[in-house]
Amino acid sequence: MTEKRQFRAIKGTRDILPPDSALWNWFEQTAREVFESYGFRDIRLPIFEETSLFARSIGADTDVVAKEMYTFEDREQFRVAHPLTMVDVIRIDEAVAEAWQHGRIPRTLANETEVLRLHEASQNIDREGTPALLCFLDSVRNLALGDSLTLRPEATASVARAYIEHGMHTQPGNVKLYYSGPMFRRERPQKGRYRQFYQVGAEALGQSDAPGIDAEVLEMLLVFFKRVGLTQTTLYVNSIGCKECRPKYVELLREELRKVKDRLGPDSQRRIDTNPLRVLDSKLPDEQPIIEKLPRISNHLCADCGEHFAKLKDELHLRGIVYEENWRLVRGLDYYTRTTFEVTAAGLGSQNAVCGGGRYDGLVELLGGPPTKGIGFAIGTDRAILSIQEGGKLPQLPGLAVFVAWMGAKSYPAAVAIARKLRECGLAVELPPEEMKFKKSLGLADKLGARYALIIGEDEVASGTFTLKRLADAEQKKLSENDLLEYLESERRGSGA
Ligand code: HAM
């Protein structure tokens, strides 16, 4: 007997069910409308990419790359005959040696070890028998022949990769792109933190790094948040310098951190060597007074970065954008230069960042493309929607417009025909596939949240009319087909359905 078992969504992933899914669609659709009004266009990106794209862009020492990526081998295996003869062993040994020589086996350290072990074992089989054969088979299985791929933990790296791959630098003006979709990070799940989460993001790439671009991107973000009713937000901005001034600041920070090493926790102690900037991100209460006394990057920016940041603040002022400067906002990904920003929202507890972003002027070049400036952000859709829901100001979304309550076999053809016509007008219509008692039919219409019940009985069929009942107040009208279509059409336009 087959085992009866219930499957459940994997930890850290979840289903977005109706009616929440309508809220999600509305959120993403509003983003599209706002972003397109600023000249951004949709880009659809793959969900997985080469692992090294993320490692190189985001940085090997970041939490995202070091701990959180879903990485897998795009497996191709050597086929091993069963039972294995000595001729097969020799054939496999030769094929592996040849593939290794010609670079068809990815040249990783692990593969190099297995290639050597496999060859050695094949030479020993005659002498040692089964142990050598098992060792041989083990190595064959361990060879990682396929590419290492990773489910995207974010999309900026993919945008930069696509920008280079499609020669987008030749396009006129700035290349302004937006995207929306799932991202994957193996973090500890909690409220507002998932392993499959969603982002809506925007990126502007091109030759100019004018602070006006940064300010416009931030304006667009805040216009969007206002449109979706996400108003209890705080925008934090910072500049983390460029490749000229930041390394000097990082060295200074490292020196200062070494002096207080003993008073820091193990994570921060480790980061003194790997990534001292990340110490500024620490939330540990004991570390706060120490961090407050550390040198601040704003006092160590080079003249160009200082000017860029000052102009950005002027631009934000010009646009009436309220922000707080936060010298500790260094962000967790390595590609940032100069402007960094984050938006927090109410009602989210500890995971309250609903958006993060900044400049990444060297990223395209780092990935082998032409010198290019870039800035962008990603909004955490899960968190933004959670905050909207907690705020309680939900939009009125068009639900079911009409429930066709038909009675009697003779009225069914009229019900089918009118349902189709109403749907063609863009209305959401429910047509019961089987006859229902009148009371039950209206009860279901109510439960489904329909705005109207369209009553079609034998009387209506005989007189060529329809009875339309508004369920909110039970007001009822008798209408001809034309009048009905006209009435509901104008109602649809009025309700935005
Ligand atoms: P990020 O700060 O890593 O930046 O992520 C942006 C937003 O995604 C966060 O503020 C948060 O709202 C959401 N988020 C991140 N991880 C999770 C999670 N595990 N569960 C739920 N939501 C999450 C980036 O991803 C950059 N690519 C942003 C960017 C675009 N920078 C320049 N362009």
Side-chain angles (χ1 to χ4, degrees):
M1 215 168 73
T2 47
E3 181 203 4
K4 251 196 184 173
R5 79 168 261 235
Q6 274 201 351
F7 291 94
R8 304 183 70 89
I10 305 285
K11 187 173 167 198
T13 74
R14 60 203 182 122
D15 305 304
I16 310 296
L17 305 175
D20 284 0
S21 50
L23 197 62
W24 281 65
N25 287 341
W26 158 82
F27 182 87
E28 288 164 351
Q29 179 55 26
T30 309
R32 265 183 211 116
E33 286 166 18
V34 172
F35 295 177
E36 285 183 12
S37 76
Y38 280 81
F40 283 72
R41 290 175 301 162
D42 193 12
I43 180 166
R44 307 222 172 190
L45 299 157
I47 302 275
F48 52 87
E49 300 263 8
E50 260 183 71
T51 303
S52 51
L53 171 70
F54 299 118
R56 190 172 296 183
S57 315
I58 299 169
D61 287 332
T62 58
D63 284 351
V64 171
V65 172
K67 300 187 201 154
E68 297 168 2
M69 296 208 300
Y70 283 97
T71 295
F72 57 98
E73 189 202 337
D74 196 11
R75 224 172 214 292
E76 254 181 61
Q77 273 185 314
F78 268 103
R79 285 187 208 291
V80 183
H82 185 78
L84 200 66
T85 65
M86 207 47 219
V87 176
D88 295 323
V89 169
I90 293 167
R91 188 181 53 78
I92 293 173
D93 183 35
E94 281 172 3
V96 167
E98 210 250 354
W100 178 254
Q101 237 174 24
H102 291 94
R104 290 198 305 276
I105 296 177
R107 289 183 180 272
T108 61
L109 204 60
N111 276 343
E112 190 173 347
T113 311
E114 296 302 343
V115 168
L116 290 173
R117 200 164 85 111
L118 174 152
H119 180 64
E120 216 176 278
S122 75
Q123 305 296 303
N124 294 341
I125 290 173
D126 271 348
R127 203 160 18 91
E128 292 176 14
T130 310
L133 184 63
L134 290 177
C135 178
F136 174 83
L137 285 173
D138 201 41
S139 286
V140 171
R141 267 186 234 111
N142 286 348
L143 275 180
L145 298 184
D147 295 324
S148 176
L149 304 181
T150 292
L151 295 184
R152 62 182 187 189
E154 59 105 55
T156 309
S158 302
V159 169
R161 194 263 311 134
Y163 180 86
I164 300 166
E165 187 171 337
H166 304 288
M168 286 163 132
H169 63 283
T170 58
Q171 291 183 10
N174 268 342
V175 174
K176 300 199 275 186
L177 302 164
Y178 71 84
Y179 51 84
S180 133
M183 310 290 157
F184 306 84
R185 295 184 195 175
R186 200 174 186 287
E187 293 191 84
R188 195 168 48 78
Q190 65 181 92
K191 180 179 172 189
R193 188 157 76 187
Y194 309 98
R195 291 181 169 179
Q196 174 171 337
F197 61 98
Y198 294 77
Q199 286 185 343
V200 172
E203 314 285 351
L205 298 110
Q207 292 314 303
S208 169
D209 62 357
I213 303 174
D214 309 32
E216 194 175 76
V217 161
L218 284 166
E219 177 187 300
M220 176 171 93
L221 176 65
L222 297 182
V223 164
F224 169 61
F225 278 167
K226 192 161 173 218
R227 277 273 295 275
V228 292
L230 204 58
T231 44
Q232 277 182 284
T233 54
T234 310
L235 166 67
Y236 296 96
V237 297
N238 190 24
S239 173
I240 57 165
C242 63
K243 60 176 189 290
E244 297 303 319
C245 53
R246 194 177 34 202
K248 291 179 201 150
Y249 169 71
V250 169
E251 237 359 273
L252 176 69
L253 192 62
R254 189 175 272 136
E255 269 170 41
E256 292 303 311
L257 285 168
R258 283 198 177 123
K259 293 181 194 161
V260 292
K261 186 171 178 180
D262 295 346
R263 292 158 58 202
L264 299 172
D267 278 348
S268 292
Q269 288 197 357
R270 191 171 30 80
R271 285 177 175 149
I272 295 177
D273 293 319
T274 57
N275 196 347
L277 279 179
R278 290 301 309 283
V279 176
L280 305 182
D281 256 355
S282 159
K283 306 274 186 300
L284 288 183
D286 288 354
E287 292 185 346
Q288 302 312 306
I290 305 168
I291 293 172
E292 277 309 306
K293 291 200 196 96
L294 291 171
R296 304 185 171 204
I297 188 145
S298 49
N299 299 325
H300 298 274
L301 293 176
C302 63
D304 284 352
C305 287
E307 193 187 336
H308 190 274
F309 195 33
K311 280 195 179 150
L312 167 64
K313 289 187 270 186
D314 288 347
E315 280 270 359
L316 294 177
H317 184 68
L318 172 76
R319 291 157 198 261
I321 294 174
V322 181
Y323 64 92
E324 279 183 33
E325 214 174 310
N326 178 1
W327 71 277
R328 289 175 57 178
L329 184 66
V330 291
R331 312 269 302 127
L333 318 170
D334 279 359
Y335 50 61
Y336 291 111
T337 53
R338 293 190 169 169
T339 312
T340 54
F341 56 88
E342 236 167 59
V343 180
T344 59
L348 292 173
S350 66
Q351 302 303 313
N352 65 350
V354 282
C355 174
R359 267 208 166 273
Y360 45 88
D361 291 343
L363 178 60
V364 168
E365 227 174 328
L366 180 75
L367 297 176
T372 306
K373 316 287 185 194
I375 181 162
F377 62 76
I379 298 162
T381 307
D382 308 73
R383 291 185 195 175
I385 288 183
L386 212 56
S387 181
I388 294 170
Q389 285 171 325
E390 301 269 332
K393 275 191 249 140
L394 297 179
Q396 277 287 328
L397 297 176
L400 183 61
V402 179
F403 185 95
V404 182
W406 61 275
M407 278 142 290
K410 283 199 188 129
S411 51
Y412 186 58
V416 170
I418 196 69
R420 180 183 297 186
K421 282 184 190 153
L422 293 174
R423 285 167 174 155
E424 277 167 6
C425 294
L427 292 156
V429 175
E430 186 67 23
L431 174 72
E434 283 172 313
E435 187 171 3
M436 293 170 75
K437 294 247 162 57
F438 186 61
K439 244 181 127 178
K440 228 176 153 191
S441 191
L442 289 195
L444 182 57
D446 216 30
K447 281 189 201 140
L448 293 177
R451 288 199 296 286
Y452 293 96
L454 185 64
I455 300 161
I456 315 176
E458 290 180 3
D459 285 354
E460 277 81 7
V461 174
S463 63
T465 58
F466 297 90
T467 301
L468 187 70
K469 180 172 178 160
R470 189 159 58 200
L471 292 170
D473 57 6
E475 190 196 73
Q476 218 161 283
K477 300 184 195 312
K478 255 197 177 343
L479 297 165
S480 68
E481 181 175 313
N482 275 350
D483 289 348
L484 173 77
L485 291 174
E486 213 165 90
Y487 177 82
L488 287 176
E489 175 64 26
S490 73
E491 198 264 358
R492 185 181 72 85
R493 269 189 256 117
S495 74

